[in-house]
mmCIF file of all heavy atoms in Angstrom:
data_model
loop_
_atom_site.group_PDB
_atom_site.id
_atom_site.type_symbol
_atom_site.label_atom_id
_atom_site.label_comp_id
_atom_site.label_asym_id
_atom_site.label_seq_id
_atom_site.Cartn_x
_atom_site.Cartn_y
_atom_site.Cartn_z
ATOM 1 N N PRO O 1 7.524 18.267 -8.829
ATOM 2 C CA PRO O 1 6.378 17.726 -8.089
ATOM 3 C C PRO O 1 6.817 16.693 -7.052
ATOM 4 O O PRO O 1 7.794 15.977 -7.258
ATOM 5 C CB PRO O 1 5.523 17.086 -9.168
ATOM 6 C CG PRO O 1 6.429 16.845 -10.312
ATOM 7 C CD PRO O 1 7.519 17.863 -10.232
ATOM 8 N N VAL O 2 6.099 16.655 -5.954
ATOM 9 C CA VAL O 2 6.352 15.670 -4.908
ATOM 10 C C VAL O 2 5.229 14.647 -5.003
ATOM 11 O O VAL O 2 4.087 14.922 -4.640
ATOM 12 C CB VAL O 2 6.383 16.328 -3.505
ATOM 13 C CG1 VAL O 2 6.605 15.281 -2.432
ATOM 14 C CG2 VAL O 2 7.464 17.400 -3.463
ATOM 15 N N LYS O 3 5.571 13.476 -5.514
ATOM 16 C CA LYS O 3 4.569 12.435 -5.751
ATOM 17 C C LYS O 3 4.487 11.510 -4.538
ATOM 18 O O LYS O 3 5.401 10.740 -4.266
ATOM 19 C CB LYS O 3 4.924 11.641 -6.999
ATOM 20 C CG LYS O 3 4.865 12.485 -8.256
ATOM 21 C CD LYS O 3 5.225 11.673 -9.483
ATOM 22 C CE LYS O 3 5.143 12.510 -10.731
ATOM 23 N NZ LYS O 3 5.529 11.744 -11.922
ATOM 24 N N THR O 4 3.392 11.619 -3.821
ATOM 25 C CA THR O 4 3.158 10.805 -2.631
ATOM 26 C C THR O 4 1.740 10.241 -2.697
ATOM 27 O O THR O 4 0.982 10.534 -3.614
ATOM 28 C CB THR O 4 3.281 11.646 -1.351
ATOM 29 O OG1 THR O 4 2.197 12.575 -1.319
ATOM 30 C CG2 THR O 4 4.613 12.366 -1.260
ATOM 31 N N ILE O 5 1.395 9.481 -1.689
ATOM 32 C CA ILE O 5 0.032 8.951 -1.589
ATOM 33 C C ILE O 5 -0.987 10.087 -1.576
ATOM 34 O O ILE O 5 -2.022 10.016 -2.212
ATOM 35 C CB ILE O 5 -0.101 8.066 -0.337
ATOM 36 C CG1 ILE O 5 0.663 6.764 -0.556
ATOM 37 C CG2 ILE O 5 -1.552 7.817 0.029
ATOM 38 C CD1 ILE O 5 0.814 5.913 0.669
ATOM 39 N N GLY O 6 -0.681 11.152 -0.867
ATOM 40 C CA GLY O 6 -1.617 12.258 -0.733
ATOM 41 C C GLY O 6 -1.698 13.176 -1.930
ATOM 42 O O GLY O 6 -2.657 13.916 -2.082
ATOM 43 N N SER O 7 -0.702 13.138 -2.799
ATOM 44 C CA SER O 7 -0.716 14.062 -3.925
ATOM 45 C C SER O 7 -0.886 13.391 -5.284
ATOM 46 O O SER O 7 -1.280 14.038 -6.238
ATOM 47 C CB SER O 7 0.594 14.862 -3.961
ATOM 48 O OG SER O 7 1.697 14.023 -4.279
ATOM 49 N N PHE O 8 -0.564 12.126 -5.390
ATOM 50 C CA PHE O 8 -0.457 11.519 -6.706
ATOM 51 C C PHE O 8 -1.307 10.275 -6.917
ATOM 52 O O PHE O 8 -1.763 10.021 -8.014
ATOM 53 C CB PHE O 8 1.024 11.181 -6.962
ATOM 54 C CG PHE O 8 1.319 10.681 -8.339
ATOM 55 C CD1 PHE O 8 1.254 11.533 -9.427
ATOM 56 C CD2 PHE O 8 1.670 9.370 -8.549
ATOM 57 C CE1 PHE O 8 1.544 11.075 -10.710
ATOM 58 C CE2 PHE O 8 1.957 8.892 -9.816
ATOM 59 C CZ PHE O 8 1.891 9.763 -10.899
ATOM 60 N N TRP O 9 -1.515 9.473 -5.889
ATOM 61 C CA TRP O 9 -2.238 8.209 -6.048
ATOM 62 C C TRP O 9 -3.736 8.496 -6.120
ATOM 63 O O TRP O 9 -4.324 8.970 -5.146
ATOM 64 C CB TRP O 9 -1.932 7.269 -4.892
ATOM 65 C CG TRP O 9 -0.527 6.767 -4.868
ATOM 66 C CD1 TRP O 9 0.615 7.484 -5.069
ATOM 67 C CD2 TRP O 9 -0.105 5.432 -4.614
ATOM 68 N NE1 TRP O 9 1.712 6.678 -4.954
ATOM 69 C CE2 TRP O 9 1.306 5.407 -4.677
ATOM 70 C CE3 TRP O 9 -0.772 4.253 -4.334
ATOM 71 C CZ2 TRP O 9 2.040 4.257 -4.473
ATOM 72 C CZ3 TRP O 9 -0.037 3.103 -4.125
ATOM 73 C CH2 TRP O 9 1.347 3.106 -4.207
ATOM 74 N N PRO O 10 -4.384 8.203 -7.241
ATOM 75 C CA PRO O 10 -5.784 8.597 -7.404
ATOM 76 C C PRO O 10 -6.802 7.699 -6.709
ATOM 77 O O PRO O 10 -7.937 8.108 -6.509
ATOM 78 C CB PRO O 10 -5.987 8.550 -8.918
ATOM 79 C CG PRO O 10 -5.012 7.535 -9.396
ATOM 80 C CD PRO O 10 -3.828 7.646 -8.472
ATOM 81 N N TYR O 11 -6.427 6.479 -6.341
ATOM 82 C CA TYR O 11 -7.386 5.557 -5.720
ATOM 83 C C TYR O 11 -6.798 4.982 -4.433
ATOM 84 O O TYR O 11 -5.670 4.476 -4.434
ATOM 85 C CB TYR O 11 -7.720 4.390 -6.653
ATOM 86 C CG TYR O 11 -8.294 4.821 -7.981
ATOM 87 C CD1 TYR O 11 -7.509 4.822 -9.121
ATOM 88 C CD2 TYR O 11 -9.615 5.238 -8.076
ATOM 89 C CE1 TYR O 11 -8.016 5.231 -10.335
ATOM 90 C CE2 TYR O 11 -10.140 5.645 -9.289
ATOM 91 C CZ TYR O 11 -9.338 5.640 -10.414
ATOM 92 O OH TYR O 11 -9.848 6.051 -11.615
ATOM 93 N N ALA O 12 -7.572 5.012 -3.373
ATOM 94 C CA ALA O 12 -7.119 4.419 -2.109
ATOM 95 C C ALA O 12 -6.952 2.908 -2.255
ATOM 96 O O ALA O 12 -6.109 2.308 -1.590
ATOM 97 C CB ALA O 12 -8.112 4.751 -1.000
ATOM 98 N N THR O 13 -7.737 2.294 -3.131
ATOM 99 C CA THR O 13 -7.633 0.848 -3.335
ATOM 100 C C THR O 13 -6.272 0.466 -3.923
ATOM 101 O O THR O 13 -5.786 -0.637 -3.692
ATOM 102 C CB THR O 13 -8.749 0.349 -4.263
ATOM 103 O OG1 THR O 13 -8.765 1.155 -5.445
ATOM 104 C CG2 THR O 13 -10.099 0.416 -3.574
ATOM 105 N N THR O 14 -5.658 1.381 -4.667
ATOM 106 C CA THR O 14 -4.334 1.115 -5.239
ATOM 107 C C THR O 14 -3.291 1.001 -4.137
ATOM 108 O O THR O 14 -2.346 0.220 -4.247
ATOM 109 C CB THR O 14 -3.949 2.216 -6.241
ATOM 110 O OG1 THR O 14 -4.984 2.344 -7.204
ATOM 111 C CG2 THR O 14 -2.644 1.902 -6.939
ATOM 112 N N ILE O 15 -3.446 1.781 -3.092
ATOM 113 C CA ILE O 15 -2.529 1.695 -1.952
ATOM 114 C C ILE O 15 -2.631 0.306 -1.339
ATOM 115 O O ILE O 15 -1.619 -0.367 -1.120
ATOM 116 C CB ILE O 15 -2.852 2.767 -0.890
ATOM 117 C CG1 ILE O 15 -2.730 4.152 -1.502
ATOM 118 C CG2 ILE O 15 -1.942 2.613 0.329
ATOM 119 C CD1 ILE O 15 -3.398 5.240 -0.690
ATOM 120 N N TYR O 16 -3.859 -0.127 -1.077
ATOM 121 C CA TYR O 16 -4.066 -1.464 -0.515
ATOM 122 C C TYR O 16 -3.415 -2.513 -1.417
ATOM 123 O O TYR O 16 -2.658 -3.370 -0.956
ATOM 124 C CB TYR O 16 -5.564 -1.775 -0.345
ATOM 125 C CG TYR O 16 -5.772 -3.127 0.270
ATOM 126 C CD1 TYR O 16 -5.974 -3.262 1.627
ATOM 127 C CD2 TYR O 16 -5.682 -4.296 -0.491
ATOM 128 C CE1 TYR O 16 -6.106 -4.512 2.217
ATOM 129 C CE2 TYR O 16 -5.807 -5.542 0.075
ATOM 130 C CZ TYR O 16 -6.018 -5.644 1.426
ATOM 131 O OH TYR O 16 -6.126 -6.884 1.994
ATOM 132 N N ASP O 17 -3.714 -2.464 -2.701
ATOM 133 C CA ASP O 17 -3.211 -3.456 -3.653
ATOM 134 C C ASP O 17 -1.688 -3.516 -3.640
ATOM 135 O O ASP O 17 -1.094 -4.586 -3.534
ATOM 136 C CB ASP O 17 -3.719 -3.131 -5.061
ATOM 137 C CG ASP O 17 -3.200 -4.088 -6.105
ATOM 138 O OD1 ASP O 17 -3.541 -5.287 -6.036
ATOM 139 O OD2 ASP O 17 -2.436 -3.654 -6.988
ATOM 140 N N TYR O 18 -1.047 -2.359 -3.711
ATOM 141 C CA TYR O 18 0.415 -2.326 -3.761
ATOM 142 C C TYR O 18 1.035 -2.840 -2.459
ATOM 143 O O TYR O 18 1.955 -3.664 -2.480
ATOM 144 C CB TYR O 18 0.911 -0.915 -4.071
ATOM 145 C CG TYR O 18 2.408 -0.875 -4.200
ATOM 146 C CD1 TYR O 18 3.032 -1.340 -5.351
ATOM 147 C CD2 TYR O 18 3.203 -0.413 -3.164
ATOM 148 C CE1 TYR O 18 4.408 -1.335 -5.470
ATOM 149 C CE2 TYR O 18 4.579 -0.406 -3.270
ATOM 150 C CZ TYR O 18 5.176 -0.859 -4.430
ATOM 151 O OH TYR O 18 6.544 -0.868 -4.526
ATOM 152 N N VAL O 19 0.536 -2.356 -1.349
ATOM 153 C CA VAL O 19 1.085 -2.779 -0.053
ATOM 154 C C VAL O 19 0.900 -4.285 0.144
ATOM 155 O O VAL O 19 1.816 -4.990 0.568
ATOM 156 C CB VAL O 19 0.449 -1.976 1.105
ATOM 157 C CG1 VAL O 19 0.824 -2.546 2.466
ATOM 158 C CG2 VAL O 19 0.852 -0.507 1.008
ATOM 159 N N TYR O 20 -0.271 -4.788 -0.199
ATOM 160 C CA TYR O 20 -0.570 -6.215 -0.009
ATOM 161 C C TYR O 20 0.329 -7.109 -0.862
ATOM 162 O O TYR O 20 0.791 -8.145 -0.420
ATOM 163 C CB TYR O 20 -2.046 -6.464 -0.340
ATOM 164 C CG TYR O 20 -2.586 -7.801 0.118
ATOM 165 C CD1 TYR O 20 -2.511 -8.190 1.441
ATOM 166 C CD2 TYR O 20 -3.202 -8.655 -0.783
ATOM 167 C CE1 TYR O 20 -3.034 -9.400 1.865
ATOM 168 C CE2 TYR O 20 -3.727 -9.874 -0.374
ATOM 169 C CZ TYR O 20 -3.630 -10.237 0.948
ATOM 170 O OH TYR O 20 -4.148 -11.445 1.368
ATOM 171 N N ARG O 21 0.587 -6.690 -2.104
ATOM 172 C CA ARG O 21 1.384 -7.502 -3.013
ATOM 173 C C ARG O 21 2.888 -7.337 -2.819
ATOM 174 O O ARG O 21 3.640 -8.291 -2.965
ATOM 175 C CB ARG O 21 1.057 -7.159 -4.479
ATOM 176 C CG ARG O 21 -0.236 -7.714 -4.968
ATOM 177 C CD ARG O 21 -0.474 -7.448 -6.448
ATOM 178 N NE ARG O 21 -0.594 -6.031 -6.758
ATOM 179 C CZ ARG O 21 0.331 -5.323 -7.407
ATOM 180 N NH1 ARG O 21 1.417 -5.882 -7.848
ATOM 181 N NH2 ARG O 21 0.143 -4.038 -7.629
ATOM 182 N N ALA O 22 3.346 -6.118 -2.503
ATOM 183 C CA ALA O 22 4.771 -5.828 -2.620
ATOM 184 C C ALA O 22 5.496 -5.432 -1.341
ATOM 185 O O ALA O 22 6.722 -5.321 -1.350
ATOM 186 C CB ALA O 22 4.954 -4.714 -3.652
ATOM 187 N N MET O 23 4.801 -5.219 -0.263
ATOM 188 C CA MET O 23 5.448 -4.742 0.959
ATOM 189 C C MET O 23 5.310 -5.746 2.087
ATOM 190 O O MET O 23 4.381 -6.549 2.064
ATOM 191 C CB MET O 23 4.840 -3.401 1.383
ATOM 192 C CG MET O 23 5.140 -2.265 0.424
ATOM 193 S SD MET O 23 6.867 -1.816 0.510
ATOM 194 C CE MET O 23 7.348 -1.850 -1.189
ATOM 195 N N PRO O 24 6.169 -5.690 3.076
ATOM 196 C CA PRO O 24 7.386 -4.888 3.107
ATOM 197 C C PRO O 24 8.403 -5.416 2.090
ATOM 198 O O PRO O 24 8.347 -6.573 1.681
ATOM 199 C CB PRO O 24 7.897 -5.035 4.538
ATOM 200 C CG PRO O 24 7.273 -6.267 5.062
ATOM 201 C CD PRO O 24 5.999 -6.470 4.297
ATOM 202 N N TYR O 25 9.325 -4.554 1.734
ATOM 203 C CA TYR O 25 10.280 -4.856 0.675
ATOM 204 C C TYR O 25 11.023 -6.169 0.923
ATOM 205 O O TYR O 25 11.237 -6.942 0.005
ATOM 206 C CB TYR O 25 11.269 -3.692 0.546
ATOM 207 C CG TYR O 25 12.314 -3.912 -0.512
ATOM 208 C CD1 TYR O 25 11.989 -3.776 -1.854
ATOM 209 C CD2 TYR O 25 13.619 -4.244 -0.175
ATOM 210 C CE1 TYR O 25 12.934 -3.981 -2.841
ATOM 211 C CE2 TYR O 25 14.574 -4.451 -1.149
ATOM 212 C CZ TYR O 25 14.222 -4.316 -2.482
ATOM 213 O OH TYR O 25 15.161 -4.519 -3.451
ATOM 214 N N ASN O 26 11.380 -6.421 2.165
ATOM 215 C CA ASN O 26 12.152 -7.631 2.479
ATOM 216 C C ASN O 26 11.283 -8.874 2.665
ATOM 217 O O ASN O 26 11.813 -9.970 2.836
ATOM 218 C CB ASN O 26 13.003 -7.420 3.733
ATOM 219 C CG ASN O 26 12.163 -7.185 4.968
ATOM 220 O OD1 ASN O 26 11.013 -6.775 4.875
ATOM 221 N ND2 ASN O 26 12.731 -7.441 6.128
ATOM 222 N N ALA O 27 9.963 -8.717 2.621
ATOM 223 C CA ALA O 27 9.061 -9.867 2.802
ATOM 224 C C ALA O 27 7.731 -9.613 2.109
ATOM 225 O O ALA O 27 6.689 -9.538 2.759
ATOM 226 C CB ALA O 27 8.862 -10.140 4.288
ATOM 227 N N PRO O 28 7.727 -9.466 0.772
ATOM 228 C CA PRO O 28 6.470 -9.184 0.083
ATOM 229 C C PRO O 28 5.433 -10.277 0.312
ATOM 230 O O PRO O 28 5.773 -11.434 0.510
ATOM 231 C CB PRO O 28 6.870 -9.091 -1.389
ATOM 232 C CG PRO O 28 8.222 -9.676 -1.490
ATOM 233 C CD PRO O 28 8.846 -9.628 -0.136
ATOM 234 N N GLN O 29 4.188 -9.890 0.325
ATOM 235 C CA GLN O 29 3.039 -10.762 0.533
ATOM 236 C C GLN O 29 3.026 -11.423 1.907
ATOM 237 O O GLN O 29 2.388 -12.449 2.109
ATOM 238 C CB GLN O 29 2.931 -11.818 -0.570
ATOM 239 C CG GLN O 29 2.648 -11.224 -1.921
ATOM 240 C CD GLN O 29 2.359 -12.264 -2.973
ATOM 241 O OE1 GLN O 29 2.138 -13.430 -2.677
ATOM 242 N NE2 GLN O 29 2.344 -11.841 -4.211
ATOM 243 N N SER O 30 3.695 -10.811 2.863
ATOM 244 C CA SER O 30 3.700 -11.372 4.218
ATOM 245 C C SER O 30 2.657 -10.718 5.118
ATOM 246 O O SER O 30 2.431 -11.193 6.239
ATOM 247 C CB SER O 30 5.091 -11.234 4.842
ATOM 248 O OG SER O 30 5.424 -9.863 5.012
ATOM 249 N N LEU O 31 2.032 -9.650 4.664
ATOM 250 C CA LEU O 31 1.034 -8.966 5.482
ATOM 251 C C LEU O 31 -0.334 -9.618 5.325
ATOM 252 O O LEU O 31 -0.718 -10.005 4.219
ATOM 253 C CB LEU O 31 0.928 -7.492 5.071
ATOM 254 C CG LEU O 31 2.188 -6.652 5.247
ATOM 255 C CD1 LEU O 31 2.003 -5.292 4.581
ATOM 256 C CD2 LEU O 31 2.523 -6.495 6.715
ATOM 257 N N SER O 32 -1.064 -9.703 6.411
ATOM 258 C CA SER O 32 -2.433 -10.218 6.348
ATOM 259 C C SER O 32 -3.344 -9.136 5.771
ATOM 260 O O SER O 32 -2.962 -7.961 5.677
ATOM 261 C CB SER O 32 -2.916 -10.592 7.751
ATOM 262 O OG SER O 32 -3.111 -9.420 8.527
ATOM 263 N N ALA O 33 -4.551 -9.526 5.427
ATOM 264 C CA ALA O 33 -5.533 -8.548 4.940
ATOM 265 C C ALA O 33 -5.793 -7.492 6.009
ATOM 266 O O ALA O 33 -5.851 -6.292 5.707
ATOM 267 C CB ALA O 33 -6.824 -9.258 4.549
ATOM 268 N N ASN O 34 -5.938 -7.901 7.267
ATOM 269 C CA ASN O 34 -6.193 -6.950 8.352
ATOM 270 C C ASN O 34 -5.032 -5.966 8.505
ATOM 271 O O ASN O 34 -5.248 -4.766 8.697
ATOM 272 C CB ASN O 34 -6.436 -7.672 9.673
ATOM 273 C CG ASN O 34 -7.752 -8.419 9.697
ATOM 274 O OD1 ASN O 34 -8.656 -8.140 8.921
ATOM 275 N ND2 ASN O 34 -7.854 -9.384 10.583
ATOM 276 N N GLU O 35 -3.802 -6.465 8.445
ATOM 277 C CA GLU O 35 -2.633 -5.589 8.557
ATOM 278 C C GLU O 35 -2.598 -4.593 7.400
ATOM 279 O O GLU O 35 -2.266 -3.420 7.581
ATOM 280 C CB GLU O 35 -1.345 -6.413 8.576
ATOM 281 C CG GLU O 35 -1.131 -7.193 9.847
ATOM 282 C CD GLU O 35 0.057 -8.125 9.777
ATOM 283 O OE1 GLU O 35 0.280 -8.765 8.720
ATOM 284 O OE2 GLU O 35 0.781 -8.222 10.794
ATOM 285 N N THR O 36 -2.949 -5.052 6.203
ATOM 286 C CA THR O 36 -2.916 -4.175 5.038
ATOM 287 C C THR O 36 -3.998 -3.109 5.126
ATOM 288 O O THR O 36 -3.756 -1.946 4.785
ATOM 289 C CB THR O 36 -3.038 -4.987 3.735
ATOM 290 O OG1 THR O 36 -2.055 -6.035 3.754
ATOM 291 C CG2 THR O 36 -2.792 -4.116 2.530
ATOM 292 N N TYR O 37 -5.187 -3.470 5.594
ATOM 293 C CA TYR O 37 -6.230 -2.451 5.805
ATOM 294 C C TYR O 37 -5.745 -1.418 6.828
ATOM 295 O O TYR O 37 -5.932 -0.215 6.646
ATOM 296 C CB TYR O 37 -7.536 -3.082 6.293
ATOM 297 C CG TYR O 37 -8.375 -3.687 5.200
ATOM 298 C CD1 TYR O 37 -8.634 -5.050 5.177
ATOM 299 C CD2 TYR O 37 -8.933 -2.895 4.195
ATOM 300 C CE1 TYR O 37 -9.413 -5.615 4.178
ATOM 301 C CE2 TYR O 37 -9.718 -3.452 3.194
ATOM 302 C CZ TYR O 37 -9.951 -4.815 3.193
ATOM 303 O OH TYR O 37 -10.724 -5.369 2.201
ATOM 304 N N ALA O 38 -5.125 -1.879 7.899
ATOM 305 C CA ALA O 38 -4.649 -0.970 8.941
ATOM 306 C C ALA O 38 -3.555 -0.045 8.406
ATOM 307 O O ALA O 38 -3.588 1.174 8.652
ATOM 308 C CB ALA O 38 -4.135 -1.771 10.139
ATOM 309 N N LEU O 39 -2.607 -0.584 7.673
ATOM 310 C CA LEU O 39 -1.543 0.256 7.113
ATOM 311 C C LEU O 39 -2.102 1.258 6.108
ATOM 312 O O LEU O 39 -1.689 2.421 6.085
ATOM 313 C CB LEU O 39 -0.462 -0.609 6.459
ATOM 314 C CG LEU O 39 0.481 -1.297 7.436
ATOM 315 C CD1 LEU O 39 1.306 -2.359 6.734
ATOM 316 C CD2 LEU O 39 1.379 -0.266 8.112
ATOM 317 N N THR O 40 -3.044 0.831 5.294
ATOM 318 C CA THR O 40 -3.670 1.740 4.335
ATOM 319 C C THR O 40 -4.386 2.867 5.073
ATOM 320 O O THR O 40 -4.267 4.041 4.696
ATOM 321 C CB THR O 40 -4.645 0.975 3.419
ATOM 322 O OG1 THR O 40 -3.927 -0.063 2.739
ATOM 323 C CG2 THR O 40 -5.296 1.897 2.401
ATOM 324 N N ALA O 41 -5.101 2.526 6.126
ATOM 325 C CA ALA O 41 -5.792 3.545 6.925
ATOM 326 C C ALA O 41 -4.785 4.541 7.504
ATOM 327 O O ALA O 41 -4.993 5.761 7.454
ATOM 328 C CB ALA O 41 -6.598 2.881 8.049
ATOM 329 N N TYR O 42 -3.683 4.028 8.032
ATOM 330 C CA TYR O 42 -2.674 4.906 8.630
ATOM 331 C C TYR O 42 -2.026 5.809 7.580
ATOM 332 O O TYR O 42 -1.828 7.009 7.806
ATOM 333 C CB TYR O 42 -1.619 4.076 9.359
ATOM 334 C CG TYR O 42 -0.610 4.922 10.071
ATOM 335 C CD1 TYR O 42 -0.971 5.685 11.183
ATOM 336 C CD2 TYR O 42 0.708 4.983 9.641
ATOM 337 C CE1 TYR O 42 -0.044 6.486 11.834
ATOM 338 C CE2 TYR O 42 1.641 5.770 10.290
ATOM 339 C CZ TYR O 42 1.261 6.527 11.386
ATOM 340 O OH TYR O 42 2.175 7.324 12.032
ATOM 341 N N LEU O 43 -1.708 5.254 6.422
ATOM 342 C CA LEU O 43 -1.099 6.053 5.356
ATOM 343 C C LEU O 43 -2.047 7.156 4.885
ATOM 344 O O LEU O 43 -1.630 8.294 4.652
ATOM 345 C CB LEU O 43 -0.703 5.156 4.187
ATOM 346 C CG LEU O 43 0.433 4.178 4.467
ATOM 347 C CD1 LEU O 43 0.564 3.163 3.333
ATOM 348 C CD2 LEU O 43 1.741 4.919 4.691
#
């Protein structure tokens, strides 16, 4: 199986939560709420 956002993640809110808390890898929690909404929309 290929586990990606489109195939495996059951809630879009989980994408927001993970990106907001843990990304980018070299600077976690550096994204604003607006940036995280935008990245979630793009993903």
Side-chain angles (χ1 to χ4, degrees):
V2 178
K3 295 180 179 178
T4 68
I5 289 170
S7 68
F8 186 70
W9 292 44
Y11 302 103
T13 51
T14 306
I15 300 163
Y16 182 96
D17 178 64
Y18 183 77
V19 171
Y20 194 56
R21 284 185 296 108
M23 293 290 129
Y25 179 76
N26 64 338
Q29 295 188 13
S30 65
L31 298 170
S32 70
N34 290 340
E35 289 173 320
T36 308
Y37 279 116
L39 284 167
T40 302
Y42 184 68
L43 292 169

